[in-house]
Amino acid sequence: MSIFSSVIFQSDGGNCYFFDHKINQWQFIHPILFHILELHLQGTDVTAWVKELQTDPIEIKGLGSFSRGRIEYYYRKFLLLQQGNYFRRISQEDIFQTDLKDEEIERMLANISQITFEVTEACQLKCMYCGYGTLYDNYEPRKNKPLCPQTAKNVIDYFSRFLNSPKNKSRDKSVYIGFYGGEPLLCFPFVEEIVSYIKEKTFLNNRFKFAITTNGLLIEKYMDFLVENNFNMLISLDGDEDGNSYRTFANGSPSFQQVLGNVQALRTRYPEYFEKYVNFNAVLHNRNSFPGVYRFFRDKFGKFPSIGSLNTLGIKDSQRENFVKAAPVPSRKENSGEEFAKIEKDMFLNLPTNNALTTFLHHSGQLAVKKYNDLVFPDIQAKKLPSGTCFPFSKKVFVTANGKILPCERIGHDFPLGTADSENVHLDVHSINQFYSMQYKKIYRQCLQCYGVGLCVQCIFYLNLKEDNPRCSEFKNAEDFSNSIKSYIDLLEKDPWKYAKLLKETIVED
Ligand code: SF4
Ligand code: SF4
């Protein structure tokens, strides 16, 4: 089975482009080359077509009239690019591997950037859209269980052995210890104990930083400690009182005023810390809006929040209707006009559209390379793993209150990579390798025919892995794919300043 590595498309501005996912590159091209490519992708023998041209000049429908000499010039260019591996038919063997190497996983363990603990399952709030709430069923029943401090210490010891080993190639890199919940500040002694444990340990290569995600209800009580230890703090708040009205206590009463009071107390007492270390995350739904959220955080705190969306993974069948009701209602009015232009500039990378654009530019080859060598000799033979799932432990590790070890906090708890308890950590690199290979093989056949391969960001854990052939809703045929690339190019042609701003402001972390 083979597919073409290239798709072509015209932007709204009438410009011609191709994208080649083997080379991972998009290029602005002349209309004649565009037409030649179009013929090639339709299966026409382009050499015969050029030879048989009857008139001079030649009219190409929708693109203009061109001299024979010009067409021959672009034909030669087409041949040259083809020799350089563009516009090829590619088969599965060219693209994918489904096996990881054990040493690669160990290398990730030794260069981990973030270890996050689900400190407790308990939370004072029962937010309507909570991933552990009534809308979802892909988690184990919550029993308000706390994570045992000794289990967390065993995890730290396990990773510290790798971090202090010669396999660690990221000297001086910061490793984050994250505290997540439930509400982590409900178990403040745990947080204190782990911070002091980290401070006492010797790490040869790395510095440690702390991060906490909180609902904001206990900030005032514990702020001295959090400030003293320079905690990066992410506060969940959906905007003003109405916007925040899904974030309620179990009895339905609102949490807004209490959180607001805490945040204001923190800002008053520690203004510099607040400026540097505090950020907000707002979930968009049908009770708030982009402009509303933007204005609230700008006016109240002089900050721009990151914007989250409702979790689409693991929704109960019986709750689909309620989920749809809670989803944000897009308004055309909101996404245009002077105020939106201002919002776009201020919130820039926090906006989902710009975020997607960044991912597109990052993955489409020209702006970022994985290895320095790729700057000079891009390895186009390199095989990739199916889907856009991160390599295990390449971003972080998440330990649930039950001691399950997961690749991150954003996925269900059904497929732990290992476990930890008060005795030990049970992680078997080879079994993890086999588990991933098995999942890749399930999706591999769809990826083989998918044009989105080069830009895929689909996490395999968001598919139904309980099935033998989980369906990927992001699968793209040639037309879907060229439409999706076109939408990014249209954005850049409409607002070229975004390109420069993205280059300047995006930080690609190792
Ligand atoms: S959602 Fe998937 S791809 Fe993203 S960090 Fe988590 S495991 Fe990795
Ligand atoms: S979008 Fe889905 S089918 Fe396409 S490459 Fe990614 S995981 Fe495979």
Side-chain angles (χ1 to χ4, degrees):
M1 175 76 203
S2 69
I3 60 171
F4 273 113
S5 60
S6 308
V7 292
I8 50 171
F9 57 95
Q10 273 185 287
S11 65
D12 285 350
N15 295 313
C16 301
Y17 294 87
F18 79 81
F19 178 86
D20 191 290
H21 69 238
K22 181 69 183 149
I23 314 273
N24 237 12
Q25 216 176 71
W26 52 275
Q27 278 190 25
F28 173 52
I29 50 173
H30 191 277
I32 300 176
L33 182 55
F34 180 83
H35 185 64
I36 292 174
L37 254 177
E38 191 173 29
L39 294 173
H40 174 65
L41 298 177
Q42 284 163 2
T44 304
D45 178 346
V46 179
T47 307
W49 176 78
V50 173
K51 265 193 200 150
E52 286 159 17
L53 290 173
Q54 302 288 337
T55 55
D56 193 357
I58 290 129
E59 182 69 27
I60 299 179
K61 204 172 161 218
L63 296 174
S65 176
F66 306 97
S67 73
R68 192 188 179 96
R70 295 268 282 164
I71 292 181
E72 284 170 355
Y73 169 79
Y74 281 105
Y75 167 65
R76 288 196 297 278
K77 201 162 191 173
F78 165 76
L79 293 181
L80 185 73
L81 285 167
Q82 219 182 15
Q83 277 169 21
N85 279 319
Y86 289 86
F87 324 137
R88 296 272 171 191
R89 273 200 165 272
I90 46 176
S91 66
Q92 54 190 54
E93 285 74 24
D94 285 338
I95 314 175
F96 291 120
Q97 63 184 72
T98 52
D99 293 320
L100 288 66
K101 290 198 178 86
D102 291 358
E103 312 87 80
E104 273 293 286
I105 300 181
E106 282 173 7
R107 195 169 63 81
M108 295 301 159
L109 290 170
N111 291 275
I112 194 89
S113 353
Q114 193 176 331
I115 303 168
T116 297
F117 297 112
E118 184 187 38
V119 176
T120 171
E121 294 177 344
C123 181
Q124 312 92 317
L125 299 181
K126 292 279 170 286
C127 304
M128 187 285 280
Y129 54 69
C130 175
Y132 301 118
T134 50
L135 290 184
Y136 303 94
D137 59 6
N138 63 339
Y139 59 91
E140 287 177 348
R142 309 293 276 174
K143 294 178 185 148
N144 294 342
K145 189 177 169 181
L147 176 60
C148 158
Q150 188 52 49
T151 302
K153 288 180 187 173
N154 289 344
V155 170
I156 291 166
D157 291 347
Y158 179 87
F159 278 95
S160 69
R161 281 195 291 277
F162 277 97
L163 284 166
N164 285 340
S165 77
K167 288 186 179 136
N168 182 320
K169 301 287 179 223
S170 46
R171 274 150 215 270
D172 263 355
K173 186 167 119 174
S174 302
V175 178
Y176 279 87
I177 298 292
F179 298 91
Y180 195 82
E183 170 49 43
L185 290 177
L186 282 174
C187 287
F188 182 68
F190 174 101
V191 179
E192 262 184 327
E193 195 173 336
I194 296 304
V195 168
S196 101
Y197 190 67
I198 288 280
K199 285 177 165 176
E200 280 162 16
K201 275 189 86 73
T202 305
F203 293 96
L204 303 176
N205 305 313
N206 301 92
R207 279 167 283 124
F208 278 79
K209 293 184 175 172
F210 302 107
I212 192 159
T213 302
T214 173
N215 60 25
L217 286 165
L218 290 167
I219 294 175
E220 189 173 3
K221 189 164 176 193
Y222 299 119
M223 63 184 168
D224 296 343
F225 175 84
L226 298 170
V227 173
E228 193 183 310
N229 289 289
N230 293 330
F231 265 72
N232 280 284
M233 187 185 289
L234 184 66
I235 303 171
S236 306
L237 189 66
D238 294 350
D240 63 12
E241 187 137 30
D242 283 346
N244 206 58
S245 58
Y246 279 139
R247 301 187 60 80
T248 56
F249 291 93
N251 65 7
S253 62
S255 62
F256 178 76
Q257 290 301 343
Q258 278 188 51
V259 177
L260 187 67
N262 275 299
V263 177
Q264 278 166 338
L266 176 67
R267 189 185 189 190
T268 307
R269 180 121 177 234
Y270 296 108
E272 280 170 27
Y273 168 85
F274 185 85
E275 194 52 39
K276 193 166 168 199
Y277 290 99
V278 175
N279 285 300
F280 294 90
N281 182 54
V283 172
L284 267 199
H285 43 67
N286 63 338
R287 294 189 180 173
N288 60 9
S289 68
F290 254 133
V293 165
Y294 163 81
R295 278 182 229 125
F296 172 80
F297 286 101
R298 180 197 59 191
D299 299 347
K300 277 269 179 244
F301 306 118
K303 299 234 175 206
F304 303 116
S306 51
I307 302 283
S309 42
L310 297 171
N311 178 11
T312 53
L313 183 67
I315 304 165
K316 278 185 203 160
D317 285 339
S318 60
Q319 290 292 332
R320 288 204 176 270
E321 212 174 302
N322 287 336
F323 178 84
V324 171
K325 272 190 211 150
V329 190
S331 146
R332 267 183 201 205
K333 229 171 88 207
E334 268 176 16
N335 294 339
S336 57
E338 248 172 62
E339 188 187 22
F340 186 71
K342 175 96 181 78
I343 296 177
E344 263 227 297
K345 287 226 157 91
D346 286 343
M347 293 197 34
F348 198 59
L349 287 174
N350 289 356
L351 288 181
T353 41
N354 292 337
N355 219 311
L357 186 60
T358 316
T359 308
F360 163 67
L361 290 174
H362 183 200
H363 282 77
S364 60
Q366 286 117 311
L367 298 177
V369 289
K370 290 205 173 81
K371 295 179 277 184
Y372 285 117
N373 277 355
D374 290 348
L375 277 170
V376 190
F377 305 113
D379 183 4
I380 60 163
Q381 302 306 331
K383 295 195 174 186
K384 77 182 282 303
L385 294 159
S387 84
T389 316
C390 64
F391 202 86
F393 309 112
S394 61
K395 292 191 173 164
K396 56 173 83 164
V397 63
F398 180 64
V399 183
T400 70
N402 281 319
K404 286 185 175 182
I405 298 177
L406 301 170
C408 86
E409 73 286 1
R410 293 205 297 272
I411 61 175
H413 293 184
D414 302 339
F415 298 101
L417 305 182
T419 56
D421 53 38
S422 56
E423 302 288 317
N424 217 332
V425 169
H426 314 276
L427 261 187
D428 175 27
V429 167
H430 191 61
S431 311
I432 295 172
N433 189 341
Q434 285 178 326
F435 167 75
Y436 272 78
S437 290
M438 209 166 83
Q439 310 314 322
Y440 288 142
K441 281 178 185 142
K442 290 184 187 172
I443 184 83
Y444 173 66
R445 305 235 148 259
Q446 282 170 84
C447 301
L448 240 41
Q449 297 168 49
C450 176
Y451 277 76
V453 140
L455 302 181
C456 176
V457 288
Q458 174 67 49
C459 173
I460 207 163
F461 290 101
Y462 278 62
L463 308 179
N464 187 352
L465 294 181
K466 288 184 182 148
E467 288 180 2
D468 289 339
N469 294 305
R471 202 179 70 78
C472 174
S473 58
E474 290 301 310
F475 173 88
K476 289 187 176 57
N477 61 25
E479 193 185 344
D480 298 335
F481 185 61
S482 57
N483 284 338
S484 92
I485 308 260
K486 175 185 169 309
S487 65
Y488 295 122
I489 300 294
D490 284 339
L491 278 175
L492 291 173
E493 282 190 357
K494 189 167 144 270
D495 293 317
W497 60 268
K498 283 188 179 171
Y499 191 79
K501 195 166 162 75
L502 277 172
L503 291 194
K504 205 167 153 209
E505 294 185 8
T506 308
I507 296 166
V508 181
E509 284 186 348
D510 182 7

